[in-house]
Amino acid sequence: MHAERRPFIGGNWKMNTDLASGVELADAVLAALAAAGVEESVDAAVYPPFPYLFTVGRTLGHSAVLLGAQDCSADVSGAFTGQVSAGMLCDVGCRSVIIGHSERRHGLGEDDELLHEKLAIALESGLVAVLCVGETLSERDDGRAEAVVAHQLRGCFGTLKAETVERVVVAYEPVWAIGTGRTASPEDAQAMHASIRRVLADLYDSRFAARTRIIYGGSVNAKNARAIFDGPDIDGGLIGGASLKADDFASICRAAAEAWSAAGGH
Ligand code: PEP
């Protein structure tokens, strides 16, 4: 953590919960965050499945927890069967969206060109865009991890102007660490986050790089979170499995708050 960047913790519920248990989880998250006393020091967000957004949003009410979606269309409207636009997400109360999760990059073939379009439209709509990047295991084994991630960043940011990218949170999620129980070591995660920050400085400028939050995702849990968050370029986490348990999610938020406070944040 770094004192100047407030931690961001997102809970990616993926294709889990049903309507009733999603509402229960949202309720429990609010209660657990209040009990953990972290509302003042962490930006927390939850990303339920599309059909539950509106109802979960009502449960979140006027709390500080951001409602987010797991994806959005690259188009504004029209003949795109099954797609959901960024504007529609805003209509149902979303304030954030995940772009380019590896389960979409690799499972559904989304490439940087498409993700650039999605990022542009999400930002234009006023959403906080959590842009995911990360290498596969073979890319890491070949020593190409930083180059792959830099290429993804350049492709996704593309021609976006500095003033439009203020609301981006970059999520570094090594593909081999997502849902596997295997996390990047705190040292490897920190090294990659520092590399991402250098790419952002090169794409825009050092001030933009210094204020942009770069969060880590990949099997973060209540036990390993603090060691990861102590990295000076690690500004929080995107949490999958552990976000489905309100107490674990709140413990991860507390780890972020403690790491931030230890770094001099408040
Ligand atoms: C994710 O879905 O972005 C993720 C990091 O999942 P998990 O925490 O389960 O590895």
Side-chain angles (χ1 to χ4, degrees):
M1 291 286 168
H2 188 286
E4 278 167 34
R5 293 184 295 269
R6 191 178 153 88
F8 185 100
I9 305 288
N12 177 12
W13 295 2
K14 310 195 186 190
M15 200 167 72
N16 291 300
T17 79
D18 55 20
L19 181 57
S21 62
V23 167
E24 263 172 45
L25 178 57
D27 248 335
V29 164
L30 289 181
L33 291 179
V38 295
E39 291 148 314
E40 297 297 311
S41 45
V42 175
D43 289 335
V46 294
Y47 299 85
F50 283 131
Y52 308 148
L53 284 170
F54 184 70
T55 317
V56 168
R58 287 176 75 157
T59 305
L60 296 176
H62 295 295
S63 76
V65 177
L66 293 184
L67 178 69
Q70 299 169 19
D71 179 45
C72 70
S73 169
D75 292 284
V76 176
S77 65
F80 302 101
T81 303
Q83 302 251 38
V84 178
S85 73
M88 291 169 180
L89 297 179
C90 293
D91 259 358
V92 295
C94 286
R95 290 191 280 160
S96 180
V97 65
I98 298 173
I99 304 283
H101 192 279
S102 81
E103 286 152 15
R104 300 193 65 87
R105 282 181 184 269
H106 297 283
L108 299 168
E110 296 195 351
D111 60 16
D112 291 331
E113 201 180 327
L114 175 69
L115 298 175
H116 168 72
E117 302 292 321
K118 291 190 177 196
L119 183 61
I121 213 149
L123 294 170
E124 230 169 79
S125 307
L127 295 164
V128 172
V130 176
L131 173 68
C132 301
V133 291
E135 81 287 357
T136 63
L137 189 55
S138 65
E139 289 164 342
R140 173 155 288 265
D141 288 345
D142 291 349
R144 293 191 296 126
E146 289 191 5
V148 165
V149 167
H151 188 265
Q152 290 172 339
L153 289 166
R154 290 181 191 284
C156 291
F157 279 97
T159 51
L160 293 177
K161 298 262 184 297
E163 52 283 10
T164 63
V165 293
E166 286 302 325
R167 281 184 317 279
V168 176
V169 173
V170 175
Y172 167 55
E173 298 208 299
V175 178
W176 46 271
I178 298 175
T180 58
R182 200 179 150 194
T183 46
S185 67
E187 295 74 24
D188 284 349
Q190 165 56 31
M192 180 61 89
H193 282 230
S195 160
I196 290 171
R197 213 173 288 288
R198 286 193 295 273
V199 175
L200 296 181
D202 189 41
L203 276 170
Y204 295 97
D205 58 45
S206 55
R207 287 179 57 212
F208 172 74
R211 67 176 174 264
T212 299
R213 287 174 295 186
I214 305 171
I215 62 176
Y216 171 82
S219 298
V220 175
N221 59 40
K223 289 206 177 97
N224 61 23
R226 177 63 199 270
I228 295 168
F229 297 160
D230 275 337
D233 285 294
I234 300 178
D235 308 311
L238 186 57
I239 318 298
S243 72
L244 297 172
K245 291 191 188 128
D247 287 342
D248 287 0
F249 186 68
S251 296
I252 292 168
C253 289
R254 192 168 47 232
E258 286 168 1
W260 193 44
S261 162
H266 43 261

